[in-house]
C-alpha cells in the first residue's frame, strides 16, 4: 500500500537520509536533478511567440519521472523538497508541471518545503511549514535559462561560420574567458622596471641585530623607483655607509585584526583552493556529500548547511553554539562581548538564507574523523574552523616603526616590526591570500630602542629588483574577481570554470589559468564584434536585472525583450561581415601575441616571411581553424600553425641558439653548468664527462622555457632529489625528485607521482605529507564497504580494491570501476548497472562458447596446414638452389 505522503528530493543520498527522519507515513524518492530541459536545437525558445519555451524529457529523466508518478498513486500529498535556492525551486516546478501534464496530480495536494540543513529537527520543522512554489524564483530561472539558450544557439553559428575551429560561446563563460585572456595580454605587454633598495643590518647598544631599509636620502623621501639604476644605488649605499646613526623616532601602535566572516560559496571555493589545493568542482562535490548526509554512529545526518549561498549570516542557534564552544574550549578571553554579525556583501543574497557552516559545531573534526576521512574530513575541518573563528575575539598586534637618522638628518633608515600581543581567532584560523606581496613584518620583533640612543651600522648592501607582471588567475582569484565584478552567481562558479576547460579554451598549469590560442581567438572575436554584450559592466547589470526578477520587481519577459531586440540585430550584422574584415580585425587584436614586438611595440620585423623574404605574415583562417600565412600566396605557400609561433606542446616558445649553452659556474664546485640537447629532450649538466666520472644531469621540467632558463633554476634542478624532512607519523625521510615518469615524492621506499599542480622545485614538507596521504587513500576509498543489496537476489554488493584497481562485487561477479571515477563516489544504482552489464557480458560469452571453440579449432587446423605448406615450399626452393 502506498504511503499517504510522497516527498521528492534531488539525490538518492538525500532521499535515504530524509526517509529515516519521516517514518512510514512518508515515501521519499529522488528525481536525480532536473527532469526536463530545453532540447539542444533551434526553436526551443521562440522569441516570435513571446519567448515560449519547449521542454523535453530525455530517456533517463523519463525513468525517474515515471518512478515518481508510479509512487504517487494513492498518495494524498506531494512534498517537493528540493534544494532551497533558485535551481531547487526550478526542479520542483518542472516536476509539478510534468506530473500535471500526465494528469497524475488529480486529488493530490502539492506543497513546497525547504530546509537549509539535513538534520532531523530541520527536516521535521520544514514539513510543518509547507508553502506554495515561489513564482518569482521560477521566473528568474526561466529568464536565465532562456537567455543562456538564446546566446548560445544564436551566437555559436556565427562563431562557427566566421571563426573556424571555435566551439561555442556562453553568456557568462565568455566573460570569464575574457578575464583570463586580458590578464595574459597584460603579462605579454608587461615591461619590467628596474629598481634598487638599500638594506642594512643594525645593532642597538646591547649588540642585538635588526634589519632596516633606506627611506630618506639627501633629505628627500624615497619612493619605490627613486633608485632606478646601479649608479644611483651605489651613491646611496656610500651615503649610508658614511653615516653614524641614532634613533630619531619610535612609533608604537596597537592594531586589531578581525576574523573573516563564515563561508559563502565563493569564499569556500577560494580558501579550499588556497589551503587544500582543491578545484572548484571538487570542493562543491565534497560539500554536497557533507550536506546530504553521512552515517554517524548509525544515524545519517547532514554535517554542513546548504553550500550554494552568498549569505554570511549565522542562525541564532549557530551563534549560541559557537559562543558556548569558544567559552568551553578556549576560555573567556577568546569570547567577544557579543556575537559578531556580518553584513552580506552581495546585493541580492537570496540564494540561501545562511552561510556555509557545520550543522552542529560541537561535532568536532576529530570526532567525525571516525566516520569520514581524506578530503571530506579536510573540507569539513576547514568549514568548522572558519565558522568558529568568525565568532572569536580579535587578534591584537603591536606594531613598531623606528627611524634611524645620521648626524646631518639627511640620510634616514627605517626598521619595522610587528608582534602578536594576543592571538585571538588566529589561534584557530588564519585566512590565506592568493598572491602574497612583500614579506610581512609579522613576527619580526625589534630589540629595545629608545629615542636618542645610538644604533650601529654593521653592514649595508644595494639590492637590485625588477617589477613583476600581474599573476595569472588561479581558480580562487578568478572566482574572487568574478564575484567582485558581479559576474555569475554561487551555483554557477564551478560549472563556468569546468566549461572553459572542457572546451579547451584554457588550461590549468601549476594551478594557474593559461588561455589557449583557441580561447584567445574567441575572446578577440567577441570583444571586437560583440563588445557591449561581453563587457563586464553589461554582464553584471544583466545579472542585477535577473536578481530583480527573483525579487518580483521586473517582468522576466520584458528583460528578454530588451536583450533580444538589439542582440539579434548584432548577430545578423556580424553574419554579413566579410572574411577579410574578420581576419584583419583579429590579426590586429592578436598580432602582439603571435608575433614578437620590438622595443617600440611593433611586430613588423617578426612578420617578414622566412620563405620569400618580401611577404608579410598574417593571421588566416581555414576549414580547420586559424594559421599563419604569407601575404604573397599563392606565389609563396609558406604557412605556420599558430601554436608554433608562441606555443609548443609544453606551452613554451621555439628553442633558440646552439647547444651546449653555458649558464654559469656552480659556486660550490666551480664546474660549468650548461643546457644541452639530447635524443630525449633538453637537460642541464654540471661539469664534463671524464674517464670514470659521469656528470650530474637533470631533464627540464614540462613547460619550462629553455630560452629563459637561468643558472639558479638549473642548480635547483641539479640539486634533485632534495630532502624535505621527516614524515610526522612514520618518521621516514621524504624526498622530492624527478624520474623517467616525471616529478615524484619518495616516502621511505615508496614513490608517489607529484600532482601536476605542484612544483617539485618548491614543494614543502606540509604539502608533501598531504600528497602522500591523498595517494594512500586513492583507490581505497570505501574499500570493503557494503553498498546495499542487489534487487535480483537480495545478496550484498561490496566495494573492493585489487591489483587491477577498484571494483564492485556481487557473488562471484567482479566489475571494475571505470577509470577516473572515485570509488567512494559509487552509488548502489551505479554498482547495480556495472554488475548487470558484467553478468550480461559473461552470459553472452558462455552462450557463444561452443561456437567460438569450434571456430577456434577450425582456425587452428587451417593455420597449421598453411604453415606446413609454406615449410614444404621453402624446402623445395632450397633444394632447387642447391641443385643449381
Amino acid at each position: 500500500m502506498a504511503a499517504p505522503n510522497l516527498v521528492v528530493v534531488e539525490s538518492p543520498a538525500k532521499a535515504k537520509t530524509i526517509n529515516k527522519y519521516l517514518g512510514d507515513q512518508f515515501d521519499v524518492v529522488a528525481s536525480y536533478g532536473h527532469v526536463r530541459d530545453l532540447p539542444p536545437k533551434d526553436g526551443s525558445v521562440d522569441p516570435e511567440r513571446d519567448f515560449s519555451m519547449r521542454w523535453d524529457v530525455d530517456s533517463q529523466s523519463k525513468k525517474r519521472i515515471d518512478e515518481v508518478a508510479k509512487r504517487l498513486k494513492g498518495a494524498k500529498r506531494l512534498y517537493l523538497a528540493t534544494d532551497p535556492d533558485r535551481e531547487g525551486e526550478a526542479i520542483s516546478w518542472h516536476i509539478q508541471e510534468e506530473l500535471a501534464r500526465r494528469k497524475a496530480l488529480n486529488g493530490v495536494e502539492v506543497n513546497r518545503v525547504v530546509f537549509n540543513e539535513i538534520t532531523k529537527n530541520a527536516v521535521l520543522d520544514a514539513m510543518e511549514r509547507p508553502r506554495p512554489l515561489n513564482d518569482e524564483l521560477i521566473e528568474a530561472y526561466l529568464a536565465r535559462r532562456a537567455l543562456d539558450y538564446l546566446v548560445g544557439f544564436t551566437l555559436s553559428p556565427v562563431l562557427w561560420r566566421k571563426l573556424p575551429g571555435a566551439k561555442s560561446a556562453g553568456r557568462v563563460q565568455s566573460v570569464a574567458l575574457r578575464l583570463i585572456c586580458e590578464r595574459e595580454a597584460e603579462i605579454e605587454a608587461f615591461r619590467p622596471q628596474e629598481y634598487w633598495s638599500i638594506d642594512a643590518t643594525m645593532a642597538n647598544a646591547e649588540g642585538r641585530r635588526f634589519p632596516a631599509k633606506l627611506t630618506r636620502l639627501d633629505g628627500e623621501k624615497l619612493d619605490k623607483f627613486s633608485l632606478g639604476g646601479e649608479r644611483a644605488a651605489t651613491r646611496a649605499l656610500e651615503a649610508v655607509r658614511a653615516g653614524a646613526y641614532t634613533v630619531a623616532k619610535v612609533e608604537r601602535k596597537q592594531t586589531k585584526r578581525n576574523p573573516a566572516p563564515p563561508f559563502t560559496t565563493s569564499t569556500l571555493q577560494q580558501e579550499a583552493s588556497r589551503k587544500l589545493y582543491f578545484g572548484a568542482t571538487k570542493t562543491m562535490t565534497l560539500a554536497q556529500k557533507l550536506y546530504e548526509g553521512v552515517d554517524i554512529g548509525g544515524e545519517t545526518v547532514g554535517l554542513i548547511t546548504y553550500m550554494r549561498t552568498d549569505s554570511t549570516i549565522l542562525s541564532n542557534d549557530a551563534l549560541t553554539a559557537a559562543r558556548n564552544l569558544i567559552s568551553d574550549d578556549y576560555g573567556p578571553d577568546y569570547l567577544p562581548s557579543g556575537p559578531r554579525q556580518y553584513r552580506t556583501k552581495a546585493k541580492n543574497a537570496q540564494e540561501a538564507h545562511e552561510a556555509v557552516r557545520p550543522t552542529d559545531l560541537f561535532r568536532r573534526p576529530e570526532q567525525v574523523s571516525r566516520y569520514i576521512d581524506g578530503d571530506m574530513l579536510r573540507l569539513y575541518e576547514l568549514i568548522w574552523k572558519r565558522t568558529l573563528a568568525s565568532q572569536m575575539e580579535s587578534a591584537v598586534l603591536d606594531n613598531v616603526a623606528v627611524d634611524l637618522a645620521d648626524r646631518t638628518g639627511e640620510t634616514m633608515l627605517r626598521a619595522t616590526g610587528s608582534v602578536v600581543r594576543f592571538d585571538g581567532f588566529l589561534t584557530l584560523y588564519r585566512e590565506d591570500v592568493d598572491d602574497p606581496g612583500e614579506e610581512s613584518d609579522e613576527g619580526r620583533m625589534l630589540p629595545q630602542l629608545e629615542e636618542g640612543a645610538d644604533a650601529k651600522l654593521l653592514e649595508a648592501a644595494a639590492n637590485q629588483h625588477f617589477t613583476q607582471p600581474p599573476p595569472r588567475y588561479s581558480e580562487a582569484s578568478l572566482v574572487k574577481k568574478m564575484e567582485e565584478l558581479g559576474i555569475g552567481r554561487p551555483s554557477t562558479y564551478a560549472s563556468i570554470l569546468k566549461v572553459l576547460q572542457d572546451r579547451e579554451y584554457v588550461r590549468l598549469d601549476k594551478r594557474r589559468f593559461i588561455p589557449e590560442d583557441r580561447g584567445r581567438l574567441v575572446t578577440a572575436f567577441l570583444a571586437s564584434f560583440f563588445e557591449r554584450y561581453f563587457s563586464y559592466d553589461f554582464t553584471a547589470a544583466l545579472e542585477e536585472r535577473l536578481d530583480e526578477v527573483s525579487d518580483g520587481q521586473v517582468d522576466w519577459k520584458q528583460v528578454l525583450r530588451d536583450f533580444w531586440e538589439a542582440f539579434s540585430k548584432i548577430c545578423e550584422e556580424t553574419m554579413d561581415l566579410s572574411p577579410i574584415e574578420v581576419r584583419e580585425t583579429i590579426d590586429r587584436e592578436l598580432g602582439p601575441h603571435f608575433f614578437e614586438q620590438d622595443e617600440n611595440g611593433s611586430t613588423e620585423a617578426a612578420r617578414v616571411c622566412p620563405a620569400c623574404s618580401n611577404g608579410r605574415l598574417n593571421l588566416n583562417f581555414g576549414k580547420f581553424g586559424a594559421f599563419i600565412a604569407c601575404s604573397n600566396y599563392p606565389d609563396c605557400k609558406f604557412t605556420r600553425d599558430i601554436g608554433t609561433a608562441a606555443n609548443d606542446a609544453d606551452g613554451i616558445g621555439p628553442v633558440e641558439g646552439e647547444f651546449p649553452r653555458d649558464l654559469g659556474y656552480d659556486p660550490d664546485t666551480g664546474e660549468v653548468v650548461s643546457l644541452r640537447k639530447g635524443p630525449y629532450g633538453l637537460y642541464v649538466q654540471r661539469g664534463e664527462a671524464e674517464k670514470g666520472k659521469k656528470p650530474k644531469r637533470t631533464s627540464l621540467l614540462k613547460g619550462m622555457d629553455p630560452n629563459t632558463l637561468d643558472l639558479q633554476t638549473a642548480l635547483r634542478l641539479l640539486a634533485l632529489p632534495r630532502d624535505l624532512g621527516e614524515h610526522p607519523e612514520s618518521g621516514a625521510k621524504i624526498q622530492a625528485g624527478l624520474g623517467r615518469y616525471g616529478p615524484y615524492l619518495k616516502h621511505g621506499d615508496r614513490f608517489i607521482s607529484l600532482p601536476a599542480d605542484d612544483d617539485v622545485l618548491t614543494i614543502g614538507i606540509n604539502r608533501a605529507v598531504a600528497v602522500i596521504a591523498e595517494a594512500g587513500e586513492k583507490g581505497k576509498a570505501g574499500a570493503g564497504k557494503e553498498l546495499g543489496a542487489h534487487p535480483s537476489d537480495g545478496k550484498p554488493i561490496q566495494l573492493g580494491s585489487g591489483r587491477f584497481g577498484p571494483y564492485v562485487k556481487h557473488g562471484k561477479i567482479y566489475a571494475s570501476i571505470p577509470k577516473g571515477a572515485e570509488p567512494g563516489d559509487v552509488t548502489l544504482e551505479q554498482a547495480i548497472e556495472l554488475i548487470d552489464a558484467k553478468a550480461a557480458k559473461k552470459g553472452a560469452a558462455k552462450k557463444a562458447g561452443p561456437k567460438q571453440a569450434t571456430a577456434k579449432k577450425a582456425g587452428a587446423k587451417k593455420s597449421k596446414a598453411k604453415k606446413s605448406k609454406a615449410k614444404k615450399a621453402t624446402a623445395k626452393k632450397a633444394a632447387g638452389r642447391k641443385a643449381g
Side-chain angles (χ1 to χ4, degrees), residues 416-444:
T416 56
S418 177
V419 179
V420 177
R421 181 63 55 200
F422 172 66
D423 57 6
F425 74 92
L426 293 176
T427 193
L428 179 65
Y429 185 86
R430 189 182 298 256
E431 188 176 33
D432 282 3
V433 293
D434 295 306
D435 302 297
E438 295 183 7
E439 188 181 344
S440 170
D441 293 329
E442 192 174 309
R444 183 193 295 159

Side-chain angles (χ1 to χ4, degrees), residues 385-515:
K385 284 184 174 181
R386 174 79 166 228
T387 306
L388 194 62
S390 74
Q391 293 303 314
M392 293 178 82
E393 188 58 88
S394 302
V396 179
L397 288 80
D398 285 341
N399 301 311
V400 182
V402 179
D403 288 331
L404 309 157
D406 67 354
R407 287 194 175 90
T408 66
E410 295 289 295
T411 303
M412 192 171 286
L413 304 172
R414 170 164 274 220
T416 56
S418 177
V419 179
V420 177
R421 181 63 55 200
F422 172 66
D423 57 6
F425 74 92
L426 293 176
T427 193
L428 179 65
Y429 185 86
R430 189 182 298 256
E431 188 176 33
D432 282 3
V433 293
D434 295 306
D435 302 297
E438 295 183 7
E439 188 181 344
S440 170
D441 293 329
E442 192 174 309
R444 183 193 295 159
M445 209 167 175
L446 296 179
Q448 187 65 33
L449 294 164
E450 299 295 337
E451 290 183 11
D454 289 337
K456 186 179 179 182
L457 175 68
L458 301 179
E459 57 183 344
N463 293 311
Q464 184 186 33
H465 311 275
F466 291 93
T467 54
Q468 297 298 310
R472 291 184 174 115
Y473 285 110
S474 63
E475 288 204 21
S477 58
L478 184 60
V479 167
K480 184 178 180 181
K481 186 67 176 177
M482 289 168 63
E483 187 178 37
E484 287 173 359
L485 294 172
I487 298 167
R489 287 298 180 262
S491 59
T492 63
Y493 296 134
S495 63
I496 288 169
L497 305 187
K498 186 175 185 299
V499 166
L500 292 180
Q501 293 174 80
D502 290 347
R503 289 178 181 166
E504 298 178 337
Y505 285 162
V506 301
R507 71 179 188 277
L508 266 177
D509 182 38
K510 292 184 172 61
R511 301 175 62 234
R512 298 280 171 172
F513 282 113
I514 300 175

Side-chain angles (χ1 to χ4, degrees), residues 213 229 268 490 547 557 563 585 612 620 824 843:
K213 285 181 180 291
L268 174 62
D547 285 342
K557 288 195 175 179
F563 174 85
T585 301
C612 67
N620 213 325

Side-chain angles (χ1 to χ4, degrees), residues 109-135:
E109 179 187 325
V110 181
N111 295 297
R112 172 82 167 112
V113 292
V114 292
F115 32 82
N116 197 47
E117 59 185 68
I118 302 178
T119 58
K120 189 170 185 178
N121 288 342
V123 171
L124 294 178
D125 183 54
M127 298 302 289
E128 293 295 321
R129 295 181 291 104
R131 64 164 174 81
L133 285 169
N134 185 309
D135 291 337

Side-chain angles (χ1 to χ4, degrees), residues 224-529:
K224 185 175 183 176
F225 300 107
S226 293
L227 305 180
E230 188 173 7
R231 182 180 295 179
T234 302
R235 190 181 78 80
L237 182 60
E238 289 170 355
V240 169
R241 285 174 173 168
Y245 296 91
T246 57
V247 178
K249 188 179 179 182
V250 179
E251 291 180 0
R252 288 186 174 87
K253 187 179 178 183
Q254 197 169 83
T255 59
K256 281 190 173 185
R257 186 182 298 176
N258 297 322
F263 280 133
T264 62
T265 301
S266 68
T267 54
L268 174 62
Q269 290 174 4
Q270 290 167 48
E271 277 290 82
S273 174
R274 297 174 190 133
K275 288 184 181 293
L276 308 179
Y277 296 87
F278 291 174
T281 300
K282 181 173 182 176
T283 298
M284 297 310 290
T285 301
L286 292 170
Q288 182 88 31
K289 292 178 182 177
L290 290 170
Y291 164 70
E292 288 183 340
V294 174
D295 192 327
I296 302 287
E299 180 189 4
T300 304
V301 62
L303 292 183
I304 65 169
T305 54
Y306 190 56
M307 63 286 160
R308 292 187 183 92
T309 174
D310 43 18
S311 172
T312 54
I313 296 168
L314 292 178
S315 67
N316 290 332
D317 288 345
L319 289 172
T320 302
R323 290 180 62 79
N324 290 339
L325 184 56
I326 293 165
S327 179
D328 291 350
D329 286 12
Y330 297 92
D333 290 345
Y334 289 84
L335 187 67
S337 58
R340 291 184 182 275
Q341 302 289 350
Y342 293 94
R343 188 176 177 182
T344 300
K345 290 181 181 178
K347 291 181 181 178
N348 190 12
Q350 50 77 36
E351 294 275 347
H353 307 296
E354 199 174 350
V356 184
R357 62 163 176 85
T359 54
D360 181 358
L361 276 162
F362 278 88
R363 202 175 278 124
R364 297 172 175 85
E366 57 269 24
Q367 293 169 326
V368 301
S369 65
R370 289 178 292 169
Y371 308 105
I372 60 174
D373 53 20
D375 291 340
M376 279 179 73
L377 177 60
R378 293 168 69 202
L379 188 65
Y380 178 77
E381 184 176 27
L382 184 72
I383 295 167
W384 185 87
K385 284 184 174 181
R386 174 79 166 228
T387 306
L388 194 62
S390 74
Q391 293 303 314
M392 293 178 82
E393 188 58 88
S394 302
V396 179
L397 288 80
D398 285 341
N399 301 311
V400 182
V402 179
D403 288 331
L404 309 157
D406 67 354
R407 287 194 175 90
T408 66
E410 295 289 295
T411 303
M412 192 171 286
L413 304 172
R414 170 164 274 220
T416 56
S418 177
V419 179
V420 177
R421 181 63 55 200
F422 172 66
D423 57 6
F425 74 92
L426 293 176
T427 193
L428 179 65
Y429 185 86
R430 189 182 298 256
E431 188 176 33
D432 282 3
V433 293
D434 295 306
D435 302 297
E438 295 183 7
E439 188 181 344
S440 170
D441 293 329
E442 192 174 309
R444 183 193 295 159
M445 209 167 175
L446 296 179
Q448 187 65 33
L449 294 164
E450 299 295 337
E451 290 183 11
D454 289 337
K456 186 179 179 182
L457 175 68
L458 301 179
E459 57 183 344
N463 293 311
Q464 184 186 33
H465 311 275
F466 291 93
T467 54
Q468 297 298 310
R472 291 184 174 115
Y473 285 110
S474 63
E475 288 204 21
S477 58
L478 184 60
V479 167
K480 184 178 180 181
K481 186 67 176 177
M482 289 168 63
E483 187 178 37
E484 287 173 359
L485 294 172
I487 298 167
R489 287 298 180 262
S491 59
T492 63
Y493 296 134
S495 63
I496 288 169
L497 305 187
K498 186 175 185 299
V499 166
L500 292 180
Q501 293 174 80
D502 290 347
R503 289 178 181 166
E504 298 178 337
Y505 285 162
V506 301
R507 71 179 188 277
L508 266 177
D509 182 38
K510 292 184 172 61
R511 301 175 62 234
R512 298 280 171 172
F513 282 113
I514 300 175
E516 301 285 9
D517 286 331
R518 174 185 286 163
R520 296 192 73 158
L521 287 165
V522 169
T523 295
F525 180 85
L526 296 177
S528 298
F529 301 110

Side-chain angles (χ1 to χ4, degrees), residues 1 8 22 87 112 199 310 440 488 517 562 586 647 663 678 704 709 721 752 754 765 812 848 851 871:
M1 183 180 172
V8 182
L22 297 179
E87 204 68 21
R112 172 82 167 112
D199 302 298
D310 43 18
S440 170
D517 286 331
D562 294 342
I586 297 178
N647 304 87
L663 300 173
M704 194 172 268
L709 184 74
I752 299 103
L754 198 63
I765 184 68
K812 293 182 179 180
K851 288 183 182 177
K871 199 172 179 183

